[in-house]
Amino acid sequence: MLLISCPWCGDRSEEEFSCGGEAHIVRPVTPQDMDDQAWGDYVFMRRNEKGVHFERWRHGNGCGRWFNVARSTVTHEILAIYQVGDDRPEVPE
Amino acid sequence: MANYSIFALGRNALQRHRHWPRVWRSPKPRPSYDAIIVGGGGHGLATAYYLAKQHGMDNIAVLEKGWIGGGNTGRNTTIVRSNYLNPESAAIYDHALNLWQGLSQELNFNVMFSPRGVINLAHDHHEARELRRRIYANQLAGVDAEWVTPTQLRALCPILNLDPGMRYPILGGTLQRRGGVARHDAVAWGYARAADRLGVDIIQNCEVTGMTINDGRVEGVQTSQGEILAPRVGVVAAGHSSVLAAMAGLRLPLESHPLQALVSEPVKPIMPTVVMSNKVHAYMSQSDKGELVIGAGIDGYNSYAQRGSLPVIEETIRAIVELFPITSRLKMMRQWAGIVDVCPDASPIISATPVEGLFFNCGWGTGGFKATPGSGHLFAHTLAKGEAHPINAPFALERFYSGALVAEHGAAAVAH
């Protein structure tokens, strides 16, 4: 079970949060130029990393705000918590 | 190797069971094969068996990083059914169900397939309408399905709580009589033994660490036991599919999540059928040992750790105790998780890839066990011929680019 530190509310149980999946997937800037291949990649294809996974979380049963988490998908250890829009932080592999 | 039969059992009993032969060999990998299957679970072993049996390919190997059947094959809740909504899904799962029916004979190994019926409950009017729609779709697709009323449910499963005052009262349900359960380990062992007898090399403790790809063609794999060459590689690695795809420079539309299950202490037979409920999210059957086998949901975040979080099983246990009040004082003996590869449309992927000679069979998510024979059969065809069988053609990777998804969230039983 995860103890997640919401940037606004502090340490809370995982039950208060929902995971929004892989972070840093940028919405296409020029959608009119995209073919089916590019759309399929954008909508469906995922890194599904075994190791450090950069992902979005929302404190739904709390402040309701989104933030990003770097977490190991093998040990579940949370390595960094950072703001949406920030670059991927440096984390140990 | 001798066939299993009543006579073999008698003969060995007289010799105090000291002379049973090994069930499969433990060969060293050869430098090259005609085809390699990565993943020695039920689906991979079934693929190897049908490749050898139906396509005459006996120079093949199954590479398994741990021991065969030690992944999701040994971690599921063993439910077999085919009552999916879309015609494409009904075709693929019913293909598997038809193979289940003769599997013990085919493999000369008792997989203990027990068609004791599978019930899906409806707890509100909307769900009842949805389930009736699924019944009609099933009947049109040639899959047996029928509606059962609460009165019929009382006879089919006497321990079910049919009190109309329940928080989520049971309004009825669907019944697929041909569905049921099978012995999960026996499926892996049966396919392994049958494939081994046809000359397939089953290599355990052999982890694939890289792929050799030249000019867009797969030429072999690097493993913990050295490089092994093959012009065709079929990956059947469930939760680790994305890891293997990354070795080939590919991404898949998959996310890996832990799916939990648990079993109770053994009790006398109280549960004659399989009951599933999407609404309160719980399903239960009873194993031949007497344990109640309970399926929970997936954790909401990606994970490769074979353990799930407590809130998920708490929710399931709450639902189980409400549906089956008799279980309220049962002790749970074991709890575990398997890593399932969840696909956005809750349907599998059996497909060629942009890398020539490299094929994937994945995305079975929370419901792969029921499809084991069909999945292996169709993937063997795809690997041998280099193109999809008509049944698995709709399940190619192209669907994520064409938009022709096969949405099965309603029938997949585990919410995700």
Side-chain angles (χ1 to χ4, degrees), chain B residues 13 209 368:
Chain B
T209 54

Side-chain angles (χ1 to χ4, degrees), chain A residues 34-54:
Chain A
M34 283 172 59
D35 57 9
D36 289 349
Q37 183 74 31
W39 274 117
D41 285 342
Y42 163 67
V43 175
F44 295 116
M45 300 301 154
R46 295 291 178 265
R47 298 160 69 95
N48 194 19
E49 210 70 58
K50 183 178 185 180
V52 182
H53 191 241
F54 298 92

Side-chain angles (χ1 to χ4, degrees), chain B residues 308-352:
Chain B
S309 68
L310 194 61
V312 172
I313 45 175
E314 265 187 317
E315 187 193 331
T316 292
I317 289 298
R318 266 202 300 268
I320 288 288
V321 171
E322 170 113 335
L323 283 178
F324 308 99
I326 195 175
T327 61
S328 66
R329 288 176 163 197
L330 266 185
K331 292 185 179 71
M332 291 298 142
M333 283 207 308
R334 296 188 302 279
Q335 163 269 340
W336 65 91
I339 301 304
V340 298
D341 42 339
V342 174
C343 215
D345 58 355
S347 283
I349 298 165
I350 304 181
S351 181

Side-chain angles (χ1 to χ4, degrees), chain A residues 1-2 14-15 19 21-22 36-37 40-41 44-50 53 57 71 73-76, chain B residues 65 240 242-243 251-256 300-305 307 309-311 314 344 397 400-401 405:
Chain A
M1 191 158 166
L2 306 180
E14 104 182 32
E15 284 177 281
C19 183
E22 188 178 322
D36 289 349
Q37 183 74 31
D41 285 342
F44 295 116
M45 300 301 154
R46 295 291 178 265
R47 298 160 69 95
N48 194 19
E49 210 70 58
K50 183 178 185 180
H53 191 241
W57 283 80
R71 183 180 59 90
T73 54
V74 179
T75 65
H76 290 181
Chain B
K65 72 171 174 177
H240 279 72
S242 297
V243 176
R251 281 192 308 166
L252 295 171
L254 299 176
E255 293 203 314
S256 297
Y301 44 84
N302 288 23
S303 171
Y304 286 87
R307 57 193 155 84
S309 68
L310 194 61
E314 265 187 317
L397 269 172
F400 298 99
Y401 299 107
L405 303 184

Side-chain angles (χ1 to χ4, degrees), chain B residues 204-286:
Chain B
Q204 304 184 69
N205 296 311
C206 182
E207 182 172 2
V208 171
T209 54
M211 298 213 187
T212 312
I213 294 167
N214 270 324
D215 292 334
R217 265 206 71 88
V218 69
E219 291 179 350
V221 293
Q222 293 122 40
T223 75
S224 53
Q225 298 191 27
E227 184 170 40
I228 307 173
L229 300 178
R232 282 192 186 164
V233 176
V235 180
V236 202
H240 279 72
S241 298
S242 297
V243 176
L244 283 142
M247 291 174 195
L250 303 172
R251 281 192 308 166
L252 295 171
L254 299 176
E255 293 203 314
S256 297
H257 292 265
L259 175 62
Q260 295 188 81
L262 54 167
V263 293
S264 74
E265 58 188 323
V267 289
K268 287 186 176 179
I270 55 169
M271 182 78 190
T273 181
V274 182
V275 173
M276 323 182 68
S277 164
N278 281 20
K279 177 85 178 179
V280 297
H281 210 292
Y283 43 104
M284 188 167 94
S285 63
Q286 189 168 17

Side-chain angles (χ1 to χ4, degrees), chain B residues 66-90:
Chain B
W67 64 95
I68 58 167
N72 293 354
T73 301
R75 291 167 183 270
N76 59 79
T77 50
T78 77
I79 297 167
V80 175
R81 62 188 174 91
S82 65
N83 53 352
Y84 281 69
L85 176 65
N86 294 293
E88 297 88 349
S89 315

Side-chain angles (χ1 to χ4, degrees), chain A residues 22-25 47 54 68 70 82 85-91:
Chain A
E22 188 178 322
H24 303 289
I25 297 173
R47 298 160 69 95
F54 298 92
N68 285 350
Y82 58 105
D86 288 357
D87 288 337
R88 287 186 185 86
E90 291 285 325
V91 287

